[in-house]
Amino acid sequence: MTVDPNAVTQDFPSPHQGTGHRRPHAARYLVPTLVAAAVAVGLGVYGKVHDPQGTAFNLAGFSSTGAVKSWLATTAFAFALLQVVSAFMVYGRLPGPSWAPALHRWSGRIAFLVSVPVAVHCLYALGYQSHEPRVLWHSLLGCLFFGAFSAKMLLLRSERLPGWLLPVVGGLVFTVLTAVWLTSALWFFRTFGVTT
């Protein structure tokens, strides 16, 4: 076998070459799982040990920080819905334009960026709370969302993943975000009205 030292990648023989398939390396799945757990637990611990400050930010034109948080969360949820639709286009389940992959990437980026101030407000102003079931579920699911999102971002960089893995992890991220939205923004709008 000759090796070109200037080649970008080398094609070395696989230790499983005679078996007809290559077993995926366990670290490919273990590292994203451990990072997801560390992010989720880290956020939960910070929220629990941090003294809630009552407010983290407010924007002009909104009546309360709860309204700001609810509208930002709703915006993130709307972009997450767009990302689900564009994912169906990318995977060929729905007809879509040639720019569907870009739409998918950018809707996900915007959804994440809009969700960050919401998480900062939750963690800094309110902390991890468990005084009633809705709040406990919201706290748990908020931490889980950022952990699952971290795992998805790491898996995107992995090669030769099973074709079903990213849609499943993406579906988990969307499902958890939906539950977070239901236990916060929707609850806020139903309790206090759809106001700014």
Side-chain angles (χ1 to χ4, degrees):
M1 178 170 100
T2 61
V3 177
D4 178 6
N6 298 319
V8 177
T9 59
Q10 301 295 330
D11 187 22
F12 293 103
S14 168
H16 304 286
Q17 197 166 22
T19 63
H21 64 84
R22 291 175 53 161
R23 286 187 7 207
H25 197 281
R28 185 181 313 167
Y29 308 114
L30 183 62
V31 170
T33 303
L34 291 176
V35 168
V39 167
V41 170
L43 290 173
V45 167
Y46 172 79
K48 192 67 174 169
V49 301
H50 170 71
D51 275 339
Q53 300 301 307
T55 189
F57 63 85
N58 204 352
L59 294 177
F62 287 92
S63 59
S64 67
T65 55
V68 173
K69 181 182 138 183
S70 297
W71 280 107
L72 287 174
T74 301
T75 302
F77 181 64
F79 276 102
L81 282 171
L82 183 57
Q83 191 176 47
V84 168
V85 171
S86 62
F88 278 107
M89 292 176 189
V90 169
Y91 280 93
R93 303 288 188 223
L94 286 175
S98 61
W99 43 268
L103 176 65
H104 182 72
R105 284 190 301 276
W106 280 101
S107 60
R109 289 172 182 159
I110 294 169
F112 177 76
L113 289 174
V114 171
S115 72
V116 169
V118 176
V120 168
H121 180 271
C122 286
L123 287 168
Y124 184 76
L126 306 172
Y128 186 96
Q129 297 183 16
S130 58
H131 58 25
E132 67 178 78
R134 178 192 64 80
V135 175
L136 172 63
W137 278 109
H138 180 72
S139 295
L140 287 170
L141 291 166
C143 295
L144 179 61
F145 167 75
F146 282 97
F149 180 83
S150 300
K152 182 184 175 203
M153 292 301 101
L154 290 173
L155 287 170
L156 281 174
R157 301 295 173 225
S158 297
E159 295 178 6
R160 295 186 304 272
L161 291 175
W164 56 267
L165 186 59
L166 278 177
V168 166
V169 175
L172 174 66
V173 169
F174 176 75
T175 301
V176 173
L177 180 63
T178 301
V180 169
W181 181 80
L182 290 171
T183 58
S184 61
L186 182 61
W187 172 85
F188 180 87
F189 291 140
R190 292 180 69 196
T191 304
F192 300 103
V194 180
T195 60
T196 55

